[in-house]
Amino acid sequence: MTRIKLCGLSRPCDIEAANELKPEYIGFVFAPKSKRYVTAEKAVELKRLLDPDIKAVGVFVNERLETAAGLLNSGIIDLAQLHGKEDRRYIERLRELTGKPLIQAFQIETEADIKEARESAAEYILLDSGAGTGTTFDWRLAQKLKRQYFLAGGLTPGNVGEAVRILSPFAVDVSSGIETDGYKNKAKMAAFAAAVRKEDAI
């Protein structure tokens, strides 16, 4: 079964839609430069509305260790996704501060990037085309990866079924592909989830 992560949720109506669709994960973006940025206070409000069976992932870019650990240990988020220059030492220190799982993101352009991802110390890895570029990378590179991963980068309701069929990733992660005019679109969210589950059912 391919898990689903709907990322960049920022409004109560986004959470309501997620609760109906039952993805395994949703994402809150804590990177201030992102147009999907939410404050810790906003995340608290949104987490209260979230179905407890859905895990909340906090997305960080070079965040202070204490800040990320605080959000994890307070239960505002269940996992941390690291999208910056965080190295093995950062991951080890964050693991010392919290027992929660970590996802390390990698921008995939070459086979060397796949090798680096494979050696990550995080519990999970995420393969992306870039930081919110909304484009796919060459999926053939991921076919050589012998480790479970989240697939991200340019996924849409129109191409995610093919991605699941070709790669069988642990999870698929979408943000811009389920938006209209910069906001989450409930119909696109539903179409994305349906496309994943249809492929899984074959």
Side-chain angles (χ1 to χ4, degrees), residues 2 127 137-145 149 151 155 161-170:
T2 307
L127 310 184
F137 63 89
D138 184 350
W139 290 343
R140 290 174 296 183
L141 293 169
Q143 289 178 305
K144 302 175 182 179
L145 181 59
Y149 58 88
L151 179 68
L155 295 179
E162 180 185 8
V164 171
R165 184 167 62 254
I166 293 173
L167 299 174
S168 300
F170 172 78

Side-chain angles (χ1 to χ4, degrees), residues 172-193:
V172 287
D173 186 340
V174 65
S175 188
S176 61
I178 49 171
E179 292 180 346
T180 299
D181 298 327
Y183 293 97
K184 294 295 179 280
N185 179 299
K186 183 178 179 180
K188 290 182 179 179
M189 294 168 75
F192 186 90

Side-chain angles (χ1 to χ4, degrees), residues 111-152:
E111 288 188 18
D113 299 323
I114 290 289
K115 183 177 185 293
E116 183 183 0
R118 185 172 59 242
E119 295 171 356
S120 170
E123 283 82 359
Y124 300 101
I125 56 173
L126 181 144
L127 310 184
D128 202 351
S129 57
T133 59
T135 58
T136 61
F137 63 89
D138 184 350
W139 290 343
R140 290 174 296 183
L141 293 169
Q143 289 178 305
K144 302 175 182 179
L145 181 59
K146 305 301 183 188
R147 177 174 174 173
Q148 290 184 330
Y149 58 88
F150 285 69
L151 179 68

